[in-house]
Amino acid sequence: MTTTRYVSGNRPVDDLYGDLAAANVQPLWEMNDLLTSEPRPSTMPFRWKAVDLWKLATRSGELVPVEGGGDRRVLAMANPGLSGAPFISTTLWAAMQYLLPGEAAPPHRHTPAALRFILDGDGVSTTVDGDPVGMARGDLILTPSWTFHAHLNSGPSPMMWLDVLDLPLVGTLEAIFFERGQSHDPHVSPLRSSAERLYGQGPGLVPAGRDAPTGGPVHSPLTVYRWADTDSALDALLEVNGSNEATLRYTDPSRGSDVMPTLRCEMTRLLTESSSVATRQAGSRVMAVLNGEGRVDIGDQTFSLDRGDVFVVPSWSTCRLHADTTLDLFTCSDAPVLEALSLFRSEVVKTR
Amino acid sequence: MTTTRYVSGNRPVDDLYGDLAAANVQPLWEMNDLLTSEPRPSTMPFRWKAVDLWKLATRSGELVPVEGGGDRRVLAMANPGLSGAPFISTTLWAAMQYLLPGEAAPPHRHTPAALRFILDGDGVSTTVDGDPVGMARGDLILTPSWTFHAHLNSGPSPMMWLDVLDLPLVGTLEAIFFERGQSHDPHVSPLRSSAERLYGQGPGLVPAGRDAPTGGPVHSPLTVYRWADTDSALDALLEVNGSNEATLRYTDPSRGSDVMPTLRCEMTRLLTESSSVATRQAGSRVMAVLNGEGRVDIGDQTFSLDRGDVFVVPSWSTCRLHADTTLDLFTCSDAPVLEALSLFRSEVVKTR
Amino acid sequence: MTTTRYVSGNRPVDDLYGDLAAANVQPLWEMNDLLTSEPRPSTMPFRWKAVDLWKLATRSGELVPVEGGGDRRVLAMANPGLSGAPFISTTLWAAMQYLLPGEAAPPHRHTPAALRFILDGDGVSTTVDGDPVGMARGDLILTPSWTFHAHLNSGPSPMMWLDVLDLPLVGTLEAIFFERGQSHDPHVSPLRSSAERLYGQGPGLVPAGRDAPTGGPVHSPLTVYRWADTDSALDALLEVNGSNEATLRYTDPSRGSDVMPTLRCEMTRLLTESSSVATRQAGSRVMAVLNGEGRVDIGDQTFSLDRGDVFVVPSWSTCRLHADTTLDLFTCSDAPVLEALSLFRSEVVKTR
Amino acid sequence: MTTTRYVSGNRPVDDLYGDLAAANVQPLWEMNDLLTSEPRPSTMPFRWKAVDLWKLATRSGELVPVEGGGDRRVLAMANPGLSGAPFISTTLWAAMQYLLPGEAAPPHRHTPAALRFILDGDGVSTTVDGDPVGMARGDLILTPSWTFHAHLNSGPSPMMWLDVLDLPLVGTLEAIFFERGQSHDPHVSPLRSSAERLYGQGPGLVPAGRDAPTGGPVHSPLTVYRWADTDSALDALLEVNGSNEATLRYTDPSRGSDVMPTLRCEMTRLLTESSSVATRQAGSRVMAVLNGEGRVDIGDQTFSLDRGDVFVVPSWSTCRLHADTTLDLFTCSDAPVLEALSLFRSEVVKTR
């Protein structure tokens, strides 16, 4: 028997239940909690401390070669609510990737989309479909679905960064394709990638006549967003809004949409000694502390926050931030998926 | 410990693995098959025989009241590859719903979208947001996300029909909301629903000035597609194409898109003594035999097909149909989800 | 001198004005009414009587061969406000086309889009990109931009129908292209065109896998909307709305949009002894009486209406209909153009 | 008689023609050139010299107060092909606006969309819906449809800039609305407008949660594009392309579309001693020389080009540029209109 057999305690019903199970059929009326009035996520609120991640990554660097399985030295944050699966939520994968000086992670591509957010350090370049992109603190780098990507540490120090992928979602859709690329000689990243020179020069300025082939994969042609721009944009937004909290969205400059069809990226600045409004939204969010110290309330739990910490906010869980010093928080969510499917909801939650 | 602990056989590495698990972290390099060159679906090919489903439904009708858990007498087809979960694939729920004369399933609504396809019989009406829709053989009825719906059997016979929902997908997105509605007195369905009178009169004819409120849920305002129309459209399409196989798509007449953002519905007619081309596509498909006899090859398995049978085609599995007598096959897939996320692929597979 | 020279009466200013004109430059400050608080259309309200159009068409049929200039025997309604231009408004061309038994108008195509609305008679078929479409009273036939089209009268009687084109608009855009097609032997129209068999079978039913090539011209693949469908849809809409006035929009069944990018088509039924609400909208409208008698107020003018009459409602002019007997009115407007350019406005006007 | 009366020389036909004219009807078969194989634009190629425009503007400043008709001191370039109309093409208005130190052009708004391109000087600020925007050489400033705008010269020198509007097109659509705004005290423009601080900080960075109200006017929220950004983006594009010619498109950073629904803006850099490819496109283009010297071939005419010159390229006329010194050319076209209506065509023209 391959499916669940239910038991009622009533003999003829149990006979029926046996025959149902034998036929790979299950009775809805015995299932609890299939349809709940609000989401009851398996994903649990959780925070990983930067200090722990760095220690574990450093030990991995000493013990495990980058050439191992998966061609990457990656530590996946495994949500304690997901029965041992290596996912930070039911839709998102989040991990720390660690590369020693001189090491290279060879090119490959896959249908799951990925991004890299740099919480510390520099020296690594990521090559996206042949275009090398230098990575430094505060930068967001995209390696969209089915683009070849490789990493090379040509700097003098180990480097660790945050990877976020839509891998669990694409896995659920049973749509994972993967391909190895051609290895290239290590090469130094130029000061600016071609993507930046084509799409990263100024707001609203795009090359004429470079329309993406219709029907092709849809993602931002700009594969890196530099911290200097983000930092000054956050200051300007705070100034215009006259508030203590500002959130920027990273968008595809050729479409105005989210950077990739499955992942929304945002950066929030919350000024020192202030608290954000409490909100909740359908779908899950991974957040990482680029700068500052404080704490976050998620549902009825509170986690302290230090620079480099990563945490997950489950679906429909109320989230509120408190800054002891000015917090800069990177957020990646699956909101574009829920929006595309008419399933997105969000609201401000009243707090005392 | 709440997460998976890996073992390497090497002592310092195993110490690291212990500390990783303690920190809810997992090493990518120990995971196999996370990224496969092509989809390796958990979903298995499977077919449920109409004769079995009818017998089991009839016994359920005798033993189990409709007022039980879930307010519906529903038999879920549970894919043998999904570890006992009550889902026909990782994204789709498919079930037979059974209602005795005089029985009513009370109104509720939920974020998972549903459709009803009638493989046999009539006598039940489904009320969608207050609009009663009669159901008869070959009809497709939509109860889109967050619309209130109830069922009432005012006919003289038991009736069984196929339900398909995107429940597993919405569950994975942790976006399930549910609400009970107000019970209404049983009432007889008028000959035609308001939806049909507004949107179902003629191709391309829609009421002026009835634009849906922007930002609201996006789904077809036409909630029923009648078999008489589908039947003659299939004949016409076969005639124009001059082929032995024709497929119609059910669409939202106000947008031209799929009927609902997560579910694609199609009807295929394959003429007697002919075979379809072999195809495969990313994402899963539920198919049901409205008319005819034949068989289907899915991957390297073959299933005989009789009227009323239901089967599932897993992602990227090659599917080919053979008609002994003219087959009419209803298909519901998650293709709109994959398309919205730039993950859809399909191809014709060469067969000898 | 090729441009306007202004005169002020002040000598040095007039010297300047002379030099401006010599340089093909004009002073804004001398122009009146360039920017008005509301549209002041050149287009005047006007109505052409069916009885006159029939008489003139019949005489043209006796005197003028169809093989003459333009390959069509067409009588253009020339708005009295447009200085003798052969246009019914600044954006729309409306005309009566007249074809004797056995006559054929040979195939050609042009970038201006056209439609044919049949106010009376039958016997002619229009071939659209090779697909013959029979024409009968109350039908709407599309010959979209850059589709080859020809007309053939294979019936026993002369036939006259209403042509509406976006010709003045496309002329203003200086985007008129034109090409003659290959002449074919006269042939009888089948009972139903291929377009109808593919897209005209039932609401929301479209052939799967027939997506239009992206980047190609965008128009409805359904090139004929039959009166029987429209008639019953109007009745159903009146019944559901419980009102004395109903308006249907003809739409592209594959997109849900207007039938063509430049022309909106609608049909209004106003029940006997009732009046419509008074409305006005930016852009111009051509209307034609398919059935009934009554009158129309346009601005401060009133025109009697009989079966077959055609009239024009200028931009932002208040329009109100009064039915002596039930009126069926076809409307063609340039509203999709104004909507695409964010220039559309409409409002209900209060009347005493 | 209000319409054209045709004459054939044949008595009964002329009698018919008289009756047609009396009925405001015209015979298609007598009209020549209504449908031409390719566009035959009325718009003629023409170039206005900067030196002439400056002289005329300076004299206007001496003789005509800014408070005159239209509240603006504006010199409209009148195409010699348009029978004295003050338009540079059938769809576009182009003019030089001139403001003396201390002068202000009071706030108003209108449905025609406008842009300001600064060919020389600075000192004026344009206030767009209350947000003051400083203007300097090479900047592009938008005052989209129905936004209030005013100009103030708070600098020490007269300033002249190029205005381009879609006024003739909106006039043809008979959709001109106009409204005066409240006068405000003159005020100095801050270093950067709110629009720049919100949308002009970095490519792809936009404020989260600032979605435009749906159904509202659609235009770029960024109302100024600074020359420093454009200049470096042109250099980067030339470098990546490795060519001697580069064209950037100005886009709406929140949508990726053209800056306004009716006007496309681009900037082309053509390196010294080189020639562009020859192209033609449906619809008309206004071009202005920001930097450099050279010449342009339009159809079979050639015009010399100096800094500050303005010229018009009629629809479907072959256009080729030649740079004696590196040319920077601003282009404004009606291409978004033609694209929205499926009427756009363009092609490279082979030259010897």
Side-chain angles (χ1 to χ4, degrees):
Chain A
M1 193 162 8
T2 55
T3 200
T4 306
R5 175 169 176 175
Y6 286 84
V7 181
S8 73
N10 170 308
R11 179 66 181 278
V13 173
D14 281 341
D15 287 350
L16 172 64
Y17 285 3
D19 293 344
L20 288 176
N24 282 298
V25 171
Q26 296 182 25
L28 171 70
W29 56 89
E30 290 286 0
M31 300 174 201
N32 294 317
D33 293 341
L34 207 59
L35 292 168
T36 54
S37 64
E38 289 191 352
R40 291 201 203 148
S42 308
T43 304
M44 289 171 53
F46 203 76
R47 178 222 47 212
W48 289 259
K49 300 295 298 173
V51 60
D52 297 335
L53 294 169
W54 268 105
K55 276 187 204 152
L56 293 166
T58 305
R59 282 170 65 193
S60 302
E62 290 159 6
L63 292 167
V64 181
V66 73
E67 295 80 18
D71 287 340
R72 303 297 195 255
R73 192 186 291 109
V74 161
L75 296 175
M77 287 169 251
N79 193 287
L82 297 180
S83 312
F87 305 144
I88 199 167
S89 80
T90 51
T91 56
L92 299 176
W93 161 282
M96 286 297 176
Q97 187 164 167
Y98 185 81
L99 212 56
L100 294 170
E103 283 186 337
H108 64 207
R109 63 178 180 176
H110 37 69
T111 46
L115 61 85
R116 327 293 169 174
F117 188 78
I118 320 307
L119 290 163
D120 210 359
D122 57 21
V124 169
S125 65
T126 289
T127 300
V128 188
D129 275 344
D131 184 26
V133 184
M135 300 158 80
R137 193 166 183 282
D139 293 347
L140 168 66
I141 283 91
L142 310 180
T143 57
S145 180
W146 212 235
T147 53
F148 280 110
H149 53 280
H151 311 293
L152 167 71
N153 189 343
S154 52
S157 318
M159 187 173 162
M160 183 173 91
W161 64 87
L162 173 68
D163 283 348
V164 185
L165 286 85
D166 58 6
L167 176 61
L169 174 66
V170 182
T172 291
L173 296 172
E174 307 207 306
I176 290 180
F177 291 81
F178 173 88
E179 195 173 33
R180 284 224 158 64
Q182 297 295 105
S183 264
H184 301 285
D185 289 337
H187 57 300
V188 177
S189 173
L191 211 57
R192 290 183 311 164
S193 61
S194 292
E196 285 172 281
R197 288 181 288 173
L198 289 172
Y199 289 94
Q201 293 302 126
L205 298 174
V206 304
R210 276 207 168 233
D211 299 334
T214 330
V218 168
H219 58 75
S220 175
L222 181 61
T223 46
V224 56
Y225 299 76
R226 296 294 180 195
W227 174 243
D229 287 335
T230 311
D231 187 25
S232 67
L234 286 166
D235 280 345
L237 185 53
L238 283 166
E239 184 193 346
V240 172
N241 288 352
S243 74
N244 60 1
E245 181 184 1
T247 296
L248 282 177
R249 185 169 299 169
Y250 298 89
T251 61
D252 174 341
S254 70
R255 288 180 194 84
S257 57
D258 283 294
V259 288
M260 298 186 287
T262 51
L263 298 174
R264 171 163 300 163
C265 295
E266 295 183 328
M267 178 68 66
T268 296
R269 176 162 291 170
L270 181 64
L271 294 184
T272 186
E273 304 273 325
S274 67
S275 295
S276 73
V277 293
T279 60
R280 56 181 180 176
Q281 69 181 48
S284 55
R285 284 178 276 176
V286 172
M287 299 181 77
V289 183
L290 179 66
N291 290 306
E293 290 168 22
R295 63 188 200 280
V296 61
D297 306 326
I298 308 175
D300 53 9
Q301 288 184 262
T302 296
F303 300 93
S304 70
L305 297 180
D306 286 296
R307 187 171 144 164
D309 289 356
V310 177
F311 59 98
V312 58
V313 183
S315 183
W316 213 236
S317 302
T318 301
C319 175
R320 192 178 192 202
L321 297 161
H322 308 278
D324 295 334
T325 63
T326 292
L327 279 173
D328 287 331
L329 280 140
F330 174 74
T331 302
C332 177
S333 75
D334 55 12
V337 177
L338 285 95
E339 286 186 351
L341 308 181
S342 275
L343 289 165
F344 189 70
R345 300 186 184 196
S346 67
E347 61 179 31
V348 170
V349 181
K350 290 228 180 68
T351 49
R352 315 102 286 159
Chain B
M1 196 165 4
T2 55
T3 201
T4 306
R5 175 170 175 172
Y6 286 84
V7 181
S8 73
N10 170 309
R11 178 67 182 276
V13 173
D14 280 342
D15 286 350
L16 172 64
Y17 285 2
D19 294 343
L20 288 176
N24 281 297
V25 171
Q26 295 183 25
L28 171 70
W29 57 87
E30 290 286 359
M31 300 173 201
N32 295 316
D33 293 340
L34 205 59
L35 292 169
T36 53
S37 64
E38 289 191 351
R40 291 201 203 148
S42 308
T43 304
M44 288 171 52
F46 203 75
R47 178 223 45 213
W48 289 259
K49 300 295 299 173
V51 62
D52 297 335
L53 294 169
W54 267 105
K55 277 187 202 152
L56 294 165
T58 305
R59 281 169 67 192
S60 301
E62 290 158 5
L63 291 167
V64 181
V66 74
E67 297 81 17
D71 288 339
R72 303 298 195 253
R73 192 186 293 108
V74 161
L75 296 175
M77 287 168 250
N79 192 289
L82 298 180
S83 312
F87 306 144
I88 199 166
S89 80
T90 51
T91 56
L92 299 175
W93 162 281
M96 286 298 177
Q97 187 164 168
Y98 185 80
L99 211 55
L100 295 170
E103 283 187 336
H108 65 206
R109 65 176 178 176
H110 37 68
T111 46
L115 61 85
R116 327 292 168 175
F117 188 79
I118 320 307
L119 290 163
D120 209 359
D122 58 21
V124 170
S125 66
T126 289
T127 301
V128 188
D129 274 345
D131 184 27
V133 183
M135 299 159 79
R137 191 166 185 284
D139 293 348
L140 168 66
I141 283 91
L142 309 180
T143 58
S145 180
W146 212 235
T147 54
F148 281 110
H149 53 278
H151 311 292
L152 168 71
N153 190 343
S154 52
S157 318
M159 187 174 163
M160 183 173 89
W161 64 89
L162 173 67
D163 283 348
V164 185
L165 286 86
D166 58 8
L167 178 60
L169 174 65
V170 182
T172 290
L173 296 173
E174 306 208 309
I176 291 179
F177 292 82
F178 173 87
E179 195 173 33
R180 284 224 158 64
Q182 297 295 105
S183 263
H184 300 285
D185 290 336
H187 56 298
V188 177
S189 173
L191 212 56
R192 288 184 311 164
S193 60
S194 293
E196 285 172 281
R197 287 181 290 173
L198 290 172
Y199 289 93
Q201 292 302 127
L205 298 175
V206 304
R210 276 207 168 234
D211 299 333
T214 330
V218 168
H219 59 75
S220 174
L222 182 61
T223 45
V224 57
Y225 299 76
R226 295 295 180 196
W227 175 242
D229 287 335
T230 312
D231 186 26
S232 67
L234 285 166
D235 279 346
L237 185 52
L238 283 166
E239 184 194 345
V240 172
N241 288 351
S243 74
N244 60 1
E245 181 184 4
T247 297
L248 283 177
R249 185 169 299 170
Y250 298 89
T251 62
D252 174 342
S254 71
R255 288 180 194 84
S257 57
D258 282 294
V259 289
M260 298 186 287
T262 51
L263 298 174
R264 171 162 299 164
C265 296
E266 296 183 328
M267 178 68 67
T268 297
R269 176 162 290 169
L270 180 64
L271 293 185
T272 186
E273 304 272 325
S274 66
S275 297
S276 72
V277 292
T279 59
R280 57 181 179 175
Q281 69 182 49
S284 55
R285 284 178 277 177
V286 172
M287 299 182 78
V289 183
L290 179 66
N291 290 305
E293 289 167 25
R295 64 187 200 281
V296 61
D297 306 325
I298 309 176
D300 52 8
Q301 289 183 264
T302 295
F303 300 92
S304 70
L305 297 180
D306 286 296
R307 187 170 143 164
D309 290 355
V310 177
F311 58 98
V312 59
V313 183
S315 183
W316 212 236
S317 301
T318 300
C319 175
R320 192 178 192 202
L321 297 161
H322 308 278
D324 295 335
T325 63
T326 293
L327 279 173
D328 287 331
L329 281 139
F330 173 75
T331 302
C332 177
S333 76
D334 56 12
V337 177
L338 285 96
E339 286 186 350
L341 308 182
S342 276
L343 290 165
F344 189 71
R345 299 187 184 196
S346 68
E347 62 179 33
V348 171
V349 180
K350 290 227 181 67
T351 49
R352 321 89 298 153
Chain C
M1 195 163 6
T2 55
T3 200
T4 307
R5 175 170 175 174
Y6 286 84
V7 181
S8 73
N10 170 309
R11 179 68 180 278
V13 174
D14 281 342
D15 287 351
L16 171 64
Y17 285 3
D19 293 345
L20 288 176
N24 282 297
V25 171
Q26 296 183 24
L28 171 69
W29 57 88
E30 289 286 359
M31 300 173 200
N32 294 316
D33 293 341
L34 205 60
L35 292 168
T36 54
S37 64
E38 290 190 351
R40 291 201 203 148
S42 308
T43 304
M44 288 172 52
F46 202 76
R47 179 222 47 213
W48 289 258
K49 299 296 298 173
V51 61
D52 297 335
L53 294 169
W54 268 106
K55 275 187 204 153
L56 293 166
T58 305
R59 281 170 66 193
S60 301
E62 290 159 5
L63 292 168
V64 181
V66 74
E67 296 80 17
D71 287 340
R72 303 299 194 253
R73 191 187 292 108
V74 161
L75 296 175
M77 288 168 250
N79 192 287
L82 297 180
S83 312
F87 306 145
I88 199 167
S89 79
T90 51
T91 56
L92 300 175
W93 162 282
M96 286 298 177
Q97 187 163 166
Y98 184 81
L99 212 54
L100 294 170
E103 283 186 336
H108 65 206
R109 64 178 178 176
H110 36 68
T111 46
L115 61 86
R116 327 292 169 176
F117 188 78
I118 321 306
L119 290 162
D120 210 0
D122 57 21
V124 169
S125 65
T126 289
T127 300
V128 188
D129 274 344
D131 184 28
V133 183
M135 299 158 80
R137 193 166 183 282
D139 294 346
L140 168 66
I141 283 90
L142 310 180
T143 57
S145 180
W146 212 233
T147 53
F148 280 109
H149 52 279
H151 312 291
L152 168 70
N153 191 344
S154 52
S157 319
M159 188 174 163
M160 183 173 90
W161 64 88
L162 173 66
D163 283 347
V164 185
L165 285 86
D166 58 7
L167 177 61
L169 174 66
V170 182
T172 291
L173 296 173
E174 308 206 305
I176 290 178
F177 292 81
F178 172 87
E179 195 173 33
R180 284 225 157 62
Q182 296 295 106
S183 263
H184 302 285
D185 289 337
H187 57 299
V188 177
S189 174
L191 211 57
R192 288 184 311 162
S193 60
S194 292
E196 285 172 279
R197 288 180 289 173
L198 290 172
Y199 289 93
Q201 292 302 126
L205 298 174
V206 304
R210 276 206 168 234
D211 299 334
T214 329
V218 168
H219 59 75
S220 176
L222 182 61
T223 45
V224 57
Y225 299 77
R226 296 294 180 197
W227 174 242
D229 288 335
T230 311
D231 187 25
S232 67
L234 286 166
D235 279 345
L237 184 53
L238 283 165
E239 184 193 346
V240 171
N241 287 351
S243 74
N244 61 0
E245 181 184 3
T247 297
L248 282 176
R249 184 170 299 169
Y250 298 89
T251 62
D252 174 342
S254 70
R255 288 179 194 85
S257 56
D258 283 294
V259 289
M260 297 186 287
T262 51
L263 298 174
R264 170 163 299 162
C265 295
E266 296 184 328
M267 178 68 67
T268 297
R269 176 162 290 170
L270 180 65
L271 294 184
T272 185
E273 303 273 325
S274 66
S275 295
S276 72
V277 292
T279 59
R280 57 181 179 175
Q281 68 182 49
S284 56
R285 285 178 276 176
V286 172
M287 300 182 78
V289 182
L290 179 66
N291 290 306
E293 290 167 23
R295 63 186 200 283
V296 60
D297 306 324
I298 308 176
D300 53 8
Q301 289 184 263
T302 295
F303 300 92
S304 69
L305 297 180
D306 286 296
R307 186 170 145 165
D309 290 355
V310 177
F311 59 97
V312 58
V313 183
S315 183
W316 213 237
S317 301
T318 301
C319 175
R320 191 177 192 203
L321 296 161
H322 308 278
D324 295 334
T325 63
T326 293
L327 279 174
D328 288 330
L329 281 141
F330 173 75
T331 303
C332 176
S333 76
D334 55 12
V337 177
L338 285 95
E339 286 186 351
L341 308 182
S342 275
L343 289 165
F344 189 70
R345 301 186 183 196
S346 68
E347 62 179 31
V348 171
V349 180
K350 290 228 180 66
T351 49
R352 316 96 294 156
Chain D
M1 193 164 7
T2 56
T3 201
T4 307
R5 176 171 174 172
Y6 287 83
V7 181
S8 73
N10 171 309
R11 179 65 182 277
V13 173
D14 281 341
D15 287 350
L16 171 64
Y17 285 2
D19 293 343
L20 287 175
N24 282 297
V25 170
Q26 295 183 24
L28 171 70
W29 57 89
E30 289 286 359
M31 300 174 202
N32 295 316
D33 292 341
L34 206 58
L35 292 168
T36 53
S37 64
E38 290 191 351
R40 291 201 204 148
S42 308
T43 304
M44 288 171 51
F46 203 75
R47 178 222 47 213
W48 290 258
K49 300 296 297 172
V51 61
D52 297 336
L53 294 169
W54 269 105
K55 275 187 203 154
L56 294 166
T58 305
R59 282 170 66 194
S60 301
E62 289 158 5
L63 291 167
V64 182
V66 73
E67 296 80 18
D71 288 339
R72 304 294 195 258
R73 191 187 292 110
V74 160
L75 296 175
M77 287 168 250
N79 193 289
L82 298 180
S83 312
F87 305 145
I88 199 167
S89 79
T90 51
T91 56
L92 299 175
W93 163 281
M96 286 297 177
Q97 187 164 167
Y98 184 80
L99 211 55
L100 295 170
E103 281 187 337
H108 65 207
R109 63 177 179 177
H110 36 68
T111 46
L115 62 85
R116 326 293 168 174
F117 188 78
I118 320 307
L119 289 163
D120 209 0
D122 59 19
V124 169
S125 66
T126 288
T127 300
V128 188
D129 274 344
D131 185 27
V133 183
M135 300 159 79
R137 191 166 185 282
D139 293 348
L140 168 66
I141 283 91
L142 310 180
T143 57
S145 180
W146 213 235
T147 53
F148 280 111
H149 52 278
H151 311 293
L152 168 71
N153 190 343
S154 52
S157 318
M159 186 172 163
M160 183 173 91
W161 65 88
L162 174 67
D163 283 348
V164 185
L165 285 86
D166 58 7
L167 177 60
L169 174 66
V170 182
T172 291
L173 297 173
E174 307 206 309
I176 290 179
F177 292 82
F178 173 87
E179 195 174 32
R180 284 225 158 63
Q182 297 295 106
S183 263
H184 301 285
D185 289 337
H187 56 299
V188 177
S189 173
L191 212 57
R192 289 184 312 164
S193 61
S194 292
E196 285 172 280
R197 287 180 291 173
L198 290 172
Y199 290 93
Q201 293 301 127
L205 298 174
V206 304
R210 277 206 167 235
D211 299 334
T214 330
V218 169
H219 59 74
S220 175
L222 181 62
T223 45
V224 56
Y225 298 76
R226 296 296 180 194
W227 175 242
D229 286 336
T230 311
D231 186 25
S232 66
L234 285 165
D235 279 344
L237 185 52
L238 283 166
E239 184 195 344
V240 172
N241 288 352
S243 73
N244 61 0
E245 181 184 4
T247 297
L248 283 177
R249 185 168 300 169
Y250 298 87
T251 62
D252 174 342
S254 70
R255 288 180 194 83
S257 57
D258 282 295
V259 289
M260 298 186 287
T262 51
L263 298 175
R264 170 162 300 162
C265 296
E266 295 183 330
M267 177 69 66
T268 296
R269 176 163 290 170
L270 181 64
L271 293 185
T272 186
E273 305 272 325
S274 67
S275 296
S276 72
V277 292
T279 59
R280 55 182 181 176
Q281 70 181 48
S284 56
R285 284 177 277 176
V286 172
M287 299 181 79
V289 183
L290 180 66
N291 290 306
E293 290 168 22
R295 64 187 200 281
V296 60
D297 305 325
I298 309 175
D300 52 9
Q301 288 184 264
T302 296
F303 300 92
S304 68
L305 297 180
D306 286 295
R307 186 170 145 166
D309 289 355
V310 177
F311 59 97
V312 58
V313 183
S315 184
W316 212 237
S317 302
T318 301
C319 175
R320 191 177 193 204
L321 297 161
H322 308 278
D324 295 334
T325 62
T326 293
L327 279 172
D328 288 331
L329 281 140
F330 173 75
T331 302
C332 176
S333 75
D334 55 12
V337 177
L338 285 95
E339 285 186 350
L341 308 181
S342 276
L343 290 165
F344 189 71
R345 300 187 184 195
S346 67
E347 62 178 34
V348 170
V349 181
K350 289 227 181 66
T351 49
R352 328 80 305 150

